[in-house]
Structure formats: structure tokens, C-alpha cells
Amino acid sequence: MYKYEGLLVYESHDDDGILEVVELDGVRSLHFGSHPRQSSMLLKAPERLALEYVRAMTSWLLFKETLAEDGLIIGLGGGSITKHLLQHFPDCRLTVVESRKGVVKIARSHFGLPLDPRLKIIVDDGGQYVRNRAETHRERYGLLVIDAFDHEGMAASISNQAFFDACQAMLKDDGILVINLWGGTSNPMFQSAALWLGRAFGWKLLFLPVTGRGNIIGLAFNSSLPAVTTIKSLRARAAALEQQFDIDFPAFLRDLKKHNASTLKQVIKT
């Protein structure tokens, strides 16, 4: 059976709707009952990040050298970000919160999410999980990644000021929040999320539009600013990261400079 121009290899249903896995031109993708892809994997190179917006979410590495501590991920999808972190940062410890048990099953069965002692997966509402642990998990995480979209947009439970305030509380002083936003700068949800982030993180924010897509990646910095302090040192770091990961970090840096001319100086010395 074919769907979204590709071969439907798996389908299931839960209380939140349809879960589908479709293969097209050597790419396996997760769908939530609609054409947009929630996650993708290259069948011949499953370790590589297939989607441009997921690659753009690695831009946090421009400002933080490694992850040798606890990280929190809200939204699993096919597990691309989780697998990337486990592969490249052997000293990291990850907690992933995913609201749909069926998504966890598919990530394991169809997208190669490993069983790893460094990885803990919790089936729960991401917004409630974070708000409920803002005090008990205060200053625990060095990285907090949010990619919590369904077929209608950003999940309702994370679409409020209380959620982002709790995120800020759970990050270490030098921690970074990375979030996938959607719809462009004129989209009301993007504007609301930017406002919530700004209030929670003292406006230490950068936004990275994803070339050719509607995604915008947000980076929010906690009280301690990054160790990288100049554009020159960022350029050198971007070039080194490109060699290490085969991802176009120099382009990320150029776009960050272009779209954050008035705010980049709040994060580094320009």
C-alpha cells in the first residue's frame, strides 16, 4: 500500500490518532496521519541526520563544547536527536519524555533507537513532566531539547509561560535550551513562544531559520554565557565542527549572524 507517495510499511492507531511509517527513495519517515514528516532516517546511513531542521538543532554545539552530563529531550519522534547524542557524546545521560507509547515502540522497531544504559525513556506529557519537576530537578541538565509537534502544531502542554520558566529552572547555569518552532516569524505561535522564552531566559536568545523550511530553531542561554566569546573563535569552531560531523555549521553561523544582528551581542562579544 502506498501513502504520501511512498510505501506504507507500518500503521497503528492510539488515542491520539494514526502512526505511520513510510519509505520513499531510501528514506524511512514517521507520520502522524498527515503528509508532514515527524522524523526521517536514511536507510543506507541510519546514523546520519536526515532532516535539515534536525541538523540545525545541533547548532548548540557552536556554543557548548560537549555534553558530558544529563540532557533532557521533550518529544522522541523517530529518535534522531537521541541517537545522535548517544553516538557522539559517550559521557552523556539522557532522559526522553514522549507522550505516545506507540511512538517509542516505532522508534525502537523501525528507526534503530538502541537499548542503552545511558538512556531513560518516560511515557508522559512533556509539559506536565517539566512543570512537576522544576524544583526537584533544579539545575540538573546541561542541554534541554524540545521537539514536541503533532500534526496540528506545537503541543498544547508546552505552549505557556509556566513551561518555559520550569525549563529555565531545570537547566544548569551554563545550560542551553534548543527548541524546534514552526510557521515563520509572523506566525502567532512563534511570536508567543519567543516571548515566553525571552521572559524565562532574560532575552539571551538566538533564532536560526531553517533554509527552505518553515522551521525556526530557537537557542536560549541560561545565566552563564558560552565560553566562546568572539565571532572569530566561532568561525574556527564552526569549521572544526563541520569536519567532525559533516554538517554545515559555517552556514548555521552565517545565518545566526544574519538573523540575530541585534541580539547576538547578548550571547557573545561581537
Side-chain angles (χ1 to χ4, degrees):
M1 180 178 177
Y2 285 82
K3 203 162 189 179
Y4 316 125
E5 296 85 46
L7 178 66
L8 180 68
V9 298
Y10 177 87
E11 180 178 288
S12 65
H13 300 75
D14 62 15
D15 291 342
D16 294 307
I18 304 172
L19 296 166
E20 301 158 318
V21 179
V22 175
E23 293 182 2
L24 175 65
D25 297 332
V27 178
R28 178 178 292 171
S29 298
L30 173 65
H31 296 257
F32 289 168
S34 61
H35 200 284
R37 295 179 292 178
Q38 302 299 320
S39 189
S40 291
M41 180 180 72
L42 302 173
L43 293 174
K44 291 187 176 180
E47 75 286 352
R48 293 177 59 85
L49 297 176
L51 296 180
E52 184 62 33
Y53 93 86
V54 180
R55 291 194 290 272
M57 293 188 81
T58 68
S59 57
W60 65 272
L61 277 163
L62 288 165
F63 306 99
K64 189 177 176 71
E65 288 190 1
T66 189
L67 184 65
E69 55 200 326
D70 289 332
L72 176 64
I73 300 173
I74 306 300
L76 176 65
S80 299
I81 296 171
T82 301
K83 291 190 298 180
H84 175 82
L85 293 173
L86 290 173
Q87 177 185 354
H88 292 287
F89 304 101
D91 295 323
C92 74
R93 300 171 299 276
L94 302 180
T95 299
V96 180
V97 183
E98 169 56 52
S99 63
R100 301 175 72 174
K101 186 176 181 180
V103 169
V104 179
K105 178 181 176 181
I106 290 171
R108 296 240 190 249
S109 62
H110 287 79
F111 290 89
L113 183 68
L115 293 171
D116 191 302
R118 297 172 295 155
L119 173 62
K120 180 180 182 180
I121 297 180
I122 297 171
V123 177
D124 197 358
D125 178 275
Q128 291 182 11
Y129 180 89
V130 169
R131 288 191 298 271
N132 290 342
R133 289 160 180 79
E135 291 301 323
T136 58
H137 289 45
R138 181 172 288 274
E139 298 182 7
R140 172 174 292 197
Y141 300 104
L143 182 70
L144 203 166
V145 180
I146 305 166
D147 189 10
F149 274 84
D150 59 21
H151 63 284
E152 295 179 344
M154 193 164 70
S157 70
I158 70 171
S159 302
N160 54 78
Q161 185 68 60
F163 170 76
F164 290 100
D165 289 344
C167 288
Q168 186 276 331
M170 294 170 75
L171 279 172
K172 293 183 175 182
D173 284 348
D174 63 348
I176 300 177
L177 179 148
V178 186
I179 184 169
N180 174 34
L181 299 169
W182 176 262
T185 56
S186 62
N187 183 279
M189 179 51 69
F190 171 84
Q191 294 172 353
S192 295
L195 181 62
W196 296 326
L197 281 165
R199 289 171 173 168
F201 288 90
W203 302 101
K204 296 187 289 292
L205 310 175
L206 299 175
F207 292 105
L208 175 60
V210 179
T211 303
R213 308 295 299 176
N215 307 76
I216 298 177
I217 307 306
L219 302 172
F221 301 86
N222 215 354
S223 52
S224 296
L225 293 178
V228 179
T229 57
T230 66
I231 288 293
K232 182 178 180 181
S233 58
L234 271 176
R235 289 196 188 102
R237 179 151 181 77
L241 288 169
E242 182 180 32
Q243 291 296 314
Q244 180 179 356
F245 293 100
D246 194 24
I247 295 174
D248 197 353
F249 283 90
F252 297 159
L253 179 57
R254 289 193 296 271
D255 287 341
L256 284 168
K257 287 179 59 183
K258 177 180 178 181
H259 295 284
N260 299 270
S262 63
T263 55
L264 188 59
K265 61 186 177 182
Q266 297 185 51
V267 177
I268 66 166
K269 298 175 183 178
T270 58

